[in-house]
Amino acid sequence: MFLRRIILGLSKSSSPISNHNFCTAAATVARYPLGKDIWDLTDELIEEVKPECISLVTGRPLSLRYRVETMIELSDLDGAAELARLAVLKKLRGRPDAVLVCNAVIGAMCDEKRYFDGISLFHYFFNVSNMVPNIASFNLVIKALCDQGRFDDALQLYRHAAPFGADRQTYRLLAEALVKAYDPDEAYNFLDITDAEDDDMLTVILLRGHLAIEDVDDHSQDEWLDWYKGKKAFDWVATTFVDYWFKHGKDEKAIKCYRLIPQGKCLCTTTGNNLLTILLSNGKKTEAWELFNKMMKTNCLDSETVNVMVDECFKKGEFKEAMETFNKSQEGKRMARCYSNTVARLCEHGMVSEAEGLFEEMSSYKDLSPDVATFRSMIGGYVRAGRVDDALNTSRKLAILNLRKVSFYRDPQKVSATMAEISFLVLTTLVVFSWALSIGNCLQDSRLDNYGSFFTVSSFRYPESQVRPYDTRYIRVDLPPWFSSLNVAIESDVDITAKSISKISKSLLPVICFRDGSPPLPDASTNALEGLELGRFFNGSFQGAEDIEISEQCYPMQKNISLRLTNEQISPGAWYIGLFNGIGATRTQGKMIVRSSAFSFSANISVEGCKTATMWGPSCNQTIYPLSCSRFDNQTGSVISCSDSIPSSCLTHAETKTYALDVDGIAEQLVIMASNVKVDSNESYLMCYARFGAIASETLHDYAGDIHKVPLVVNKPKAGRWYIVISLSGRENRFVQGTNSGSRVCFSINVKVLGCPVGKAGPNCGQQIYMLQAVMRRGWLTPFESYYFPVNDASPSGSSTDFPLEPIVSNFSSIPELDTSTWTYFLMNIPQGGSGGHIHFRLTSDSTMQYEVYLRFGGLPTIDDRDYYYVNRTSASRSMFFSLYNSSQEKVDFYILYAREGTWSFGLRQLIDSNTPAASRGPPTLVSLSLERCPRRCSSYGQCRYAFDASGLTSYSFCSCDRTHGGFDCSIEIVSHQEHIVQSIALIASNAAALLPAYWALRQREYPEWVLFTSSGISSALYHACDVGTWCVLSYNVLQFMDFWLSFMAVVGTFVYLSTAGEAVKRTIHTVVAIVTALLALTQATRASNIIIVLAIGSLGLLIGFLVEFVTKYRSYCGSAGFSLNMLNRPRAVKEWFSNLIKTLKKRFRWGFVAAGLVAFTMAAVSFKVETSSSYWIWHSIWHFTIYTSSFFFLCSKIAIVNNENLAHNGADNYELTRQDSLPRN
């Protein structure tokens, strides 16, 4: 009735209220009612504007509306509300956009679910300050009240909104609220009383209300659809019914109704988006993509359409399909919201590089300027990836962007230059404060130590997870260039002692491995398996290159591992931790059964960085001095000259000075020299130590020299950051007699980076260098599969994956006496996330190979400075990650296993044969370079699979080999062909032992037991035939289930058969056992505990059978007068009863067969216990023979019971599963 009074109280004839009437109303009277708690609204938002705040809008160059909208965009709602409250001032309230300012801040508050603050601002603007609202103002508050469930207050406010011209949004909000609060009939009454204009959306709202409270059938649906057929609302009504049928589990009706919606024409975008959401949420992916393609074809889509499909792809992990969908949708008109959404999804899934490219593309278009949300997505993605420098740079771009936007909106009124500058500074402060908050939210896990030099860059907690036998887990940690230390704490349930480690086979040993740049692979070489001793992990400073190799070794897994590596020990970039439950060639071999145990682990990994950019080192206490550089280019190459910003630096004996220099791209030389050197003593040495990626020292450096008189030259420096340390405390200085410890040297440091012109490299820039472009492998679904070709030949003809070398090879020197070889260089880039692949290099020719191959990461290779090399079959790299295949005098074929991501350089060195004319130097040589997921496609003896590391951001590939091969590439033959045939015959033929119990059961006419043992032997033989790779009559899982289930049933059936219970009892036991054993066979059928469970079930069935027989036999005797309940107190009676029991058992069984059955069963249990993955075939074959033989002996041990009534063996007590006596009785 209250609702009825509200509705009937609406005045249809009310005319709009003039501005004059509102201005004369008292401020203390709430002209627009907002509920009973109107006086409890936020005090700060409804109090009057303070006089000192008026200066904030006096002489401002920007409009108040734009400043408020900018602060809303920056998510500073409180600041926007404080600024918007100035709209009530006399100077501003008369402006046409004053009410728009009010609506903007009210709407922003309501969008953030701050309804109370939004209603408080409405009260302040239009009740307290007597401003004039519009219908949009009322709609915002009506929606807020409806969202809070205050429908009566919303209707009361509507009474005052009606004179302002209620629009469709008003009626939609109230109709939906009435449907939720009351029922559709009340909504009908409301719309009828208010004479709301016809609106198809209102029809949908009312229909949803009816469907929510009552069930409908096909007839009701047809009536609705017939009524709206041919009308605009037909699509919306049909969509509502599609959603209804799906929610009620009637997919066929939903799809049938969906097909009624005409899709040949341009479908309404809103309807199409709703249908896409409904179809995807109900698993109808095929129909959803069909609809999306139709909407694309007819160009009836918007940004929401694309975002729905892109989000679905990301949700399913189909990143490639997501990007294809996005790119396809942007071919016509580019949509900013699609870009923003895709960037956000990419950042959420750790694909920052892809998001970065999309962000830059978005920034390059004027109509696609990134909004604040997109900037925040990129900032968050950078921070999560440990790229805080990029996050800060993006934040600065955001600040500059907003400042530029400010400069475009000038107030028409001229103001003084001083006040304009103050306004600019205030807005700058707001923008900087906003992006600082954005970074603060993204760095919520980065805890700053206000009293130290460190802060936590990233911290990850990997919850307890299990590494199954022969399985692998990888953990990737990204170290930014300014990190100080990496802390690793791993806990596991592995309990290995120094004494027990020698007794454990390496194929079963839990191992942890470390590697810089790419995943470790201990199976690639036997060198990694040597020296696996239990001891302390490396935790001190490395002493030279030999100690650095320790980081690529493996260690036995321990219960607790605590490790701290500083930036003196490891370089920035990706660092991988690998956990292996067993290593060696058998790790990847396919196994029939696994008896090894799993282990669990949990890890805490944190990366610390230095607070100050100019401070670095393990303790963040070493000052890094930047070098100011300038670049000069000419026809002969490029020169980058760098010098210290301080013209002259002075050092004493104990002082050092450290510089940082970034080498971009491929360079020929890095020259470090000192000028203007002033020394106090001729015995002073100015030592220079250079190191790539980490601070150099006297004992740990890559290059060193006295630059007092001779520059330090680094040939072919790696691209990246170099650290240069200048010191007087060099080793040479300490051995000079009479050295003055107080000597002082002043100098100026100069560094030059020399480069060649584009396309040139090597000495005198006379050699050719080519950048290779990746071409994705056609029709290959695994990620990062690609071939590499020179940029000018990136689209090879046909299906060839090779390119000829002679047309692009470097020319020989014109003076062979001075240069006896020529180099040709190739550069290839492995993208981020591609370190789980392998570089495959192949060089083929019809004549003797005249090339040597050298590889290096990050810089050009030389004969002496390279990571991998191949000269001939006897002279090649011996690294565990260098795998040579089928190489000969005419062919070079090798893999770089798990190559680290970044730029790799290949140098092909061709020797000059002076006896061979230049015009006839042999047939063409073909080069093939590719990035593959599995070496040699697992040698055709396995399948290439890929998985993700613990973070889920990096994929890696591995081979899953067949039963006879193993190794990382399945190239190692573990079981020969002859051995495989023997093992297959043993496993299959041993099931012939099932003929023994089956034959006995058939001879005794025990047909159920005959069927059981016969089917058990046949299913076991078929299962093992499939398991060894011979023949699969059914799927592997079906055969495995049948084998284990029937085996369990045969064992339990033997026990039940030995009991003497009645047929009904045995049938009941068999039914229960069939259910239980089926569950055992479905859930972890191969676990060792199943045999114990089955034996327990069989023993329980035998015991139940005897108990039932005992209770049945002695029931009458227990109820007779001669039986006393105190029989246990009579020893003679007990003795007599026990004697009778023994006699009965002796008459019931043939104990010789029982003993033989127990012996056979014991042998079966022993064989089951001792079988391993390698000896499975022999012990399991013995298991087949002994378990069926034991069943045969047990079946033979039972003696048929004599029927005392007719003294004949009628076999009435023998159990048969389905036997029924159907003979007629007299």
Side-chain angles (χ1 to χ4, degrees):
M1 293 300 297
F2 178 68
L3 174 63
R4 190 70 176 173
R5 289 197 301 270
I6 295 175
I7 297 176
L8 292 176
L10 300 174
S11 176
K12 298 182 181 180
S13 59
S14 300
S15 58
I17 304 175
S18 64
N19 295 345
H20 176 76
N21 293 336
F22 281 114
C23 294
T24 57
T28 58
V29 178
R31 298 176 300 162
Y32 309 116
L34 300 173
K36 297 180 180 180
D37 53 349
I38 187 173
W39 306 115
D40 296 328
L41 299 176
T42 307
D43 295 336
E44 294 82 4
L45 296 178
I46 61 176
E47 63 182 6
E48 296 183 0
V49 179
K50 299 178 182 179
E52 56 267 21
C53 296
I54 300 177
S55 60
L56 296 176
V57 295
T58 304
R60 303 295 288 177
L62 300 176
S63 68
L64 179 64
R65 176 187 174 187
Y66 182 74
R67 275 179 282 157
V68 170
E69 291 177 349
T70 301
M71 297 184 74
I72 292 173
E73 187 179 9
L74 296 174
S75 297
D76 186 8
L77 298 187
D78 293 325
E82 184 64 27
L83 199 60
R85 293 174 70 250
L86 301 176
V88 304
L89 298 177
K90 183 177 181 181
K91 182 178 181 180
L92 298 175
R93 68 188 302 154
R95 296 174 61 95
D97 60 352
V99 70
L100 300 181
V101 173
C102 304
N103 293 346
V105 69
I106 294 173
M109 289 290 188
C110 294
D111 290 340
E112 292 297 323
K113 309 300 181 184
R114 296 175 59 176
Y115 299 122
F116 204 69
D117 292 340
I119 295 173
S120 298
L121 288 170
F122 181 92
H123 179 67
Y124 169 77
F125 289 130
F126 307 119
N127 282 339
V128 177
S129 303
N130 292 331
M131 293 187 66
V132 181
N134 57 17
I135 192 60
S137 310
F138 288 100
N139 288 343
L140 293 171
V141 179
I142 289 174
K143 185 179 184 302
L145 294 172
C146 293
D147 289 345
Q148 292 179 293
R150 299 166 57 184
F151 309 111
D152 296 336
D153 293 337
L155 290 172
Q156 289 283 7
L157 183 61
Y158 166 76
R159 294 182 57 189
H160 298 267
F164 290 85
D167 57 6
R168 289 187 173 184
Q169 180 66 12
T170 311
Y171 293 116
R172 290 176 182 178
L173 291 171
L174 291 171
E176 191 165 4
L178 289 170
V179 168
K180 291 180 179 179
Y182 300 97
D183 54 60
D185 293 331
E186 294 289 358
Y188 273 121
N189 295 334
F190 168 76
L191 297 175
D192 181 64
I193 294 173
T194 55
D195 288 337
E197 57 180 315
D198 293 335
D199 183 10
D200 294 333
M201 193 60 196
L202 290 176
T203 302
V204 175
I205 292 173
L206 297 175
L207 175 59
R208 289 174 182 171
H210 277 294
L211 295 179
I213 62 175
E214 61 184 73
D215 296 331
V216 298
D217 52 14
D218 295 342
H219 179 70
S220 299
Q221 171 192 290
D222 295 338
E223 287 182 349
W224 277 87
L225 295 179
D226 292 339
W227 177 262
Y228 287 96
K229 190 173 183 179
K231 299 180 181 179
K232 182 179 179 181
F234 178 84
D235 294 350
W236 291 3
V237 172
T239 302
T240 305
F241 276 103
V242 171
D243 187 31
Y244 171 82
W245 292 125
F246 272 127
K247 288 181 178 179
H248 286 71
K250 299 180 180 180
D251 292 8
E252 294 183 359
K253 290 186 177 182
I255 294 299
K256 182 179 180 181
C257 184
Y258 164 72
R259 299 298 182 190
L260 297 177
I261 301 176
Q263 300 176 16
K265 58 179 182 179
C266 183
L267 185 66
C268 174
T269 305
T270 304
T271 304
N273 296 342
N274 291 336
L275 285 172
L276 288 176
T277 303
I278 294 170
L279 291 172
L280 291 174
S281 61
N282 290 279
K284 302 300 179 182
K285 189 175 180 179
T286 303
E287 289 79 2
W289 280 106
E290 290 177 355
L291 177 60
F292 176 74
N293 292 331
K294 291 179 181 178
M295 296 178 69
M296 285 276 296
K297 186 176 181 180
T298 57
N299 197 25
C300 299
L301 76 167
D302 57 9
S303 58
E304 183 182 355
T305 312
V306 180
N307 292 344
V308 168
M309 303 308 295
V310 171
D311 290 349
E312 178 68 15
C313 292
F314 276 105
K315 181 181 178 181
K316 300 294 184 182
E318 300 170 350
F319 305 131
K320 180 180 178 181
E321 290 77 1
M323 296 309 300
E324 290 177 352
T325 302
F326 168 79
N327 293 329
K328 186 178 179 181
S329 66
Q330 303 302 304
E331 292 177 355
K333 180 181 179 182
R334 300 182 183 274
M335 292 173 277
R337 291 186 178 180
C338 294
Y339 275 83
S340 299
N341 179 73
T342 307
V343 168
R345 300 291 86 77
L346 289 170
C347 291
E348 289 175 1
H349 289 80
M351 305 171 70
V352 182
S353 300
E354 292 80 355
E356 190 175 27
L358 210 58
F359 182 79
E360 292 176 357
E361 179 182 348
M362 187 179 183
S363 303
S364 63
Y365 295 97
K366 293 183 179 180
D367 57 338
L368 294 179
S369 179
D371 56 5
V372 175
T374 311
F375 273 96
R376 284 179 175 163
S377 298
M378 285 304 307
I379 294 170
Y382 282 137
V383 173
R384 284 189 291 270
R387 299 168 59 180
V388 178
D389 285 340
D390 293 328
L392 292 172
N393 292 333
T394 306
S395 301
R396 295 188 187 100
K397 292 180 182 178
L398 173 60
I400 294 173
L401 176 65
N402 282 279
L403 292 177
R404 286 178 178 175
K405 288 165 61 179
V406 167
S407 63
F408 295 150
Y409 289 84
R410 296 291 181 183
D411 194 280
Q413 300 178 357
K414 301 296 182 180
V415 295
S416 64
T418 304
M419 297 306 296
E421 291 177 0
I422 294 176
S423 172
F424 188 84
L425 291 175
V426 170
L427 187 55
T428 302
T429 304
L430 291 173
V431 173
V432 173
F433 175 74
S434 174
W435 66 255
L437 285 178
S438 178
I439 292 185
N441 293 332
C442 296
L443 288 172
Q444 57 184 343
D445 294 330
S446 299
R447 298 163 294 171
L448 284 170
D449 180 8
N450 296 324
Y451 300 97
S453 303
F454 308 95
F455 77 99
T456 303
V457 178
S458 60
S459 180
F460 304 96
R461 166 71 179 175
Y462 294 95
E464 183 174 345
S465 59
Q466 193 177 67
V467 183
R468 295 176 296 177
Y470 306 102
D471 204 353
T472 304
R473 289 288 186 276
Y474 285 119
I475 300 176
R476 169 173 170 156
V477 184
D478 290 305
L479 305 177
W482 35 267
F483 90 102
S484 62
S485 65
L486 167 65
N487 300 283
V488 179
I490 300 177
E491 297 179 356
S492 71
D493 58 0
V494 176
D495 189 10
I496 299 177
T497 62
K499 295 182 179 180
S500 63
I501 189 173
S502 60
K503 301 178 183 179
I504 303 176
S505 172
K506 290 180 180 178
S507 62
L508 303 176
L509 181 65
V511 170
I512 183 171
C513 302
F514 300 89
R515 192 184 181 196
D516 181 18
S518 59
L521 189 62
D523 305 327
S525 171
T526 56
N527 296 333
L529 309 182
E530 298 176 357
L532 282 174
E533 298 179 358
L534 199 63
R536 292 183 56 192
F537 280 87
F538 55 93
N539 201 24
S541 297
F542 292 138
Q543 301 296 325
E546 294 182 358
D547 289 334
I548 293 179
E549 294 298 326
I550 296 176
S551 65
E552 294 189 353
Q553 294 297 320
C554 299
Y555 305 86
M557 192 66 187
Q558 302 181 36
K559 196 173 188 63
N560 294 289
I561 297 174
S562 181
L563 184 66
R564 184 174 187 269
L565 299 173
T566 66
N567 50 21
E568 284 186 342
Q569 298 170 286
I570 56 178
S571 302
W575 182 265
Y576 283 86
I577 303 172
L579 298 126
F580 302 85
N581 194 355
I583 55 179
T586 59
R587 183 175 66 87
T588 57
Q589 178 194 13
K591 299 169 183 65
M592 300 179 191
I593 199 165
V594 177
R595 296 296 188 199
S596 307
S597 59
F599 74 87
S600 300
F601 79 96
S602 61
N604 272 316
I605 299 177
S606 62
V607 179
E608 293 181 343
C610 301
K611 284 184 178 180
T612 307
T614 57
M615 302 297 293
W616 211 51
S619 302
C620 295
N621 57 357
Q622 294 178 263
T623 303
I624 306 297
Y625 295 92
L627 297 172
S628 57
C629 303
S630 57
R631 182 185 179 98
F632 304 94
D633 294 309
N634 52 39
Q635 295 181 351
T636 60
S638 62
V639 178
I640 300 176
S641 299
C642 304
S643 59
D644 193 353
S645 56
I646 302 175
S648 180
S649 301
C650 296
L651 296 176
T652 60
H653 179 75
E655 293 179 341
T656 61
K657 195 166 185 179
T658 305
Y659 300 91
L661 174 68
D662 290 323
V663 177
D664 298 329
I666 301 298
E668 287 297 321
Q669 281 188 342
L670 172 63
V671 182
I672 306 171
M673 64 189 78
S675 60
N676 302 325
V677 180
K678 298 179 181 179
V679 298
D680 294 342
S681 171
N682 293 330
E683 299 174 349
S684 299
Y685 288 84
L686 189 62
M687 293 299 299
C688 175
Y689 304 99
R691 188 181 179 195
F692 177 77
I695 293 180
S697 65
E698 182 181 355
T699 58
L700 190 60
H701 53 265
D702 296 333
Y703 302 90
D706 179 15
I707 61 174
H708 184 184
K709 298 179 181 179
V710 180
L712 177 63
V713 179
V714 179
N715 291 315
K716 305 292 191 295
K718 286 187 175 183
R721 179 162 295 183
W722 285 81
Y723 290 91
I724 304 169
V725 177
I726 309 297
S727 172
L728 289 179
S729 58
R731 187 181 301 273
E732 295 84 348
N733 193 30
R734 295 202 299 267
F735 292 99
V736 176
Q737 299 293 332
T739 299
N740 182 10
S741 60
S743 60
R744 186 168 180 268
V745 175
C746 296
F747 63 93
S748 297
I749 187 72
N750 296 291
V751 181
K752 290 186 178 180
V753 181
L754 306 180
C756 292
V758 177
K760 297 293 182 179
N764 300 321
C765 297
Q767 312 298 316
Q768 300 292 329
I769 183 171
Y770 298 94
M771 186 67 195
L772 301 179
Q773 183 175 355
V775 179
M776 301 303 294
R777 185 185 296 270
R778 296 176 181 175
W780 203 255
L781 300 179
T782 53
F784 303 109
E785 282 269 355
S786 55
Y787 290 104
Y788 287 82
F789 299 92
V791 173
N792 296 333
D793 192 26
S795 300
S797 59
S799 59
S800 175
T801 60
D802 306 329
F803 60 90
L805 183 59
E806 278 71 16
I808 59 176
V809 75
S810 300
N811 296 324
F812 289 98
S813 172
S814 59
I815 310 177
E817 294 79 5
L818 300 179
D819 188 4
T820 60
S821 65
T822 182
W823 289 78
T824 304
Y825 299 99
F826 298 96
L827 303 178
M828 68 173 294
N829 182 70
I830 297 180
Q832 184 176 5
S835 57
H838 314 278
I839 296 177
H840 184 199
F841 180 86
R842 188 173 64 248
L843 201 64
T844 56
S845 177
D846 293 336
S847 62
T848 302
M849 191 64 62
Q850 300 179 358
Y851 294 93
E852 299 174 355
V853 185
Y854 297 86
L855 291 82
R856 189 177 180 215
F857 179 80
L860 295 180
T862 64
I863 297 178
D864 300 321
D865 191 2
R866 79 283 185 205
D867 295 330
Y868 306 99
Y869 72 97
Y870 176 86
V871 177
N872 51 53
R873 296 185 64 183
T874 60
S875 178
S877 294
R878 294 293 181 263
S879 171
M880 70 178 71
F881 300 103
F882 182 87
S883 183
L884 197 62
Y885 291 100
N886 302 327
S887 294
S888 62
Q889 293 183 350
E890 296 82 16
K891 180 181 179 181
V892 178
D893 191 348
F894 62 80
Y895 279 86
I896 305 299
L897 305 178
Y898 283 158
R900 65 187 302 172
E901 56 197 35
T903 301
W904 284 83
S905 302
F906 289 75
L908 271 62
R909 180 172 179 255
Q910 184 180 17
L911 301 178
I912 295 178
D913 187 357
S914 58
N915 297 324
T916 304
S920 59
R921 287 199 173 111
T925 303
L926 298 178
V927 181
S928 175
L929 188 60
S930 60
L931 183 64
E932 300 179 3
R933 301 306 290 180
C934 288
R936 302 179 65 192
R937 295 287 182 265
C938 300
S939 305
S940 300
Y941 294 118
Q943 295 182 347
C944 185
R945 305 181 185 275
Y946 68 95
F948 292 89
D949 70 332
S951 66
L953 302 179
T954 303
S955 65
Y956 65 93
S957 300
F958 61 94
C959 287
S960 179
C961 308
D962 59 19
R963 297 284 192 260
T964 60
H965 292 79
F968 71 95
D969 58 353
C970 301
S971 62
I972 300 176
E973 187 180 53
I974 299 176
V975 180
S976 66
H977 181 65
Q978 292 77 10
E979 292 175 341
H980 180 62
I981 293 176
V982 172
Q983 293 179 9
S984 302
I985 293 175
L987 286 168
I988 298 172
S990 60
N991 290 283
L995 294 174
L996 293 174
Y999 170 74
W1000 182 92
L1002 181 62
R1003 184 173 181 180
Q1004 297 297 321
R1005 298 183 180 179
E1006 302 292 346
Y1007 299 114
E1009 282 71 19
W1010 171 72
V1011 171
L1012 182 59
F1013 285 105
T1014 302
S1015 59
S1016 175
I1018 294 174
S1019 63
S1020 181
L1022 293 176
Y1023 164 66
H1024 286 289
C1026 181
D1027 197 22
V1028 299
T1030 303
W1031 178 54
C1032 293
V1033 63
L1034 295 173
S1035 66
Y1036 178 82
N1037 292 332
V1038 173
L1039 292 174
Q1040 185 185 59
F1041 168 76
M1042 292 297 296
D1043 175 34
F1044 283 89
W1045 180 52
L1046 292 176
S1047 298
F1048 295 158
M1049 284 291 296
V1051 173
V1052 179
T1054 303
F1055 282 93
V1056 177
Y1057 175 80
L1058 295 177
S1059 68
T1060 57
E1063 183 179 347
V1065 175
K1066 289 185 177 182
R1067 256 201 319 266
T1068 303
I1069 295 175
H1070 250 293
T1071 303
V1072 174
V1073 167
I1075 297 173
V1076 174
T1077 53
L1079 292 176
L1080 289 177
L1082 283 173
T1083 58
Q1084 298 182 3
T1086 58
R1087 58 186 173 188
S1089 60
N1090 279 347
I1091 188 64
I1092 300 176
I1093 298 174
V1094 171
L1095 291 176
I1097 295 173
S1099 301
L1100 181 62
L1102 181 60
L1103 179 60
I1104 292 175
F1106 281 131
L1107 289 177
V1108 171
E1109 179 188 5
F1110 176 81
V1111 172
T1112 304
K1113 187 174 182 180
Y1114 292 99
R1115 182 182 300 167
S1116 60
Y1117 176 70
C1118 294
S1120 64
F1123 181 79
S1124 175
L1125 294 177
N1126 297 323
M1127 184 192 70
L1128 295 178
N1129 295 327
R1130 302 178 181 180
R1132 182 177 179 182
V1134 173
K1135 184 178 180 180
E1136 182 180 356
W1137 175 83
F1138 186 75
S1139 177
N1140 293 332
L1141 177 63
I1142 297 299
K1143 292 178 181 180
T1144 302
L1145 292 177
K1146 287 181 178 180
K1147 296 178 181 179
R1148 190 68 57 82
F1149 300 104
R1150 300 182 180 95
W1151 289 96
F1153 285 103
V1154 172
L1158 290 175
V1159 171
F1161 186 81
T1162 303
M1163 295 175 61
V1166 172
S1167 63
F1168 186 86
K1169 178 65 177 178
V1170 299
E1171 68 183 19
T1172 62
S1173 298
S1174 58
S1175 63
Y1176 171 79
W1177 71 275
I1178 180 64
W1179 289 112
H1180 200 69
S1181 300
I1182 295 175
W1183 156 269
H1184 287 161
F1185 179 78
T1186 53
I1187 195 66
Y1188 284 125
T1189 303
S1190 66
S1191 296
F1192 170 71
F1193 286 137
F1194 283 134
L1195 293 177
C1196 293
S1197 68
K1198 184 177 180 181
I1199 300 175
I1201 301 174
V1202 178
N1203 191 327
N1204 293 327
E1205 294 181 359
N1206 53 19
L1207 300 176
H1209 295 282
N1210 56 12
D1213 292 335
N1214 289 346
Y1215 169 57
E1216 297 178 10
L1217 287 174
T1218 58
R1219 179 179 297 177
Q1220 293 183 3
D1221 189 1
S1222 59
L1223 295 177
R1225 287 167 171 75
N1226 296 328

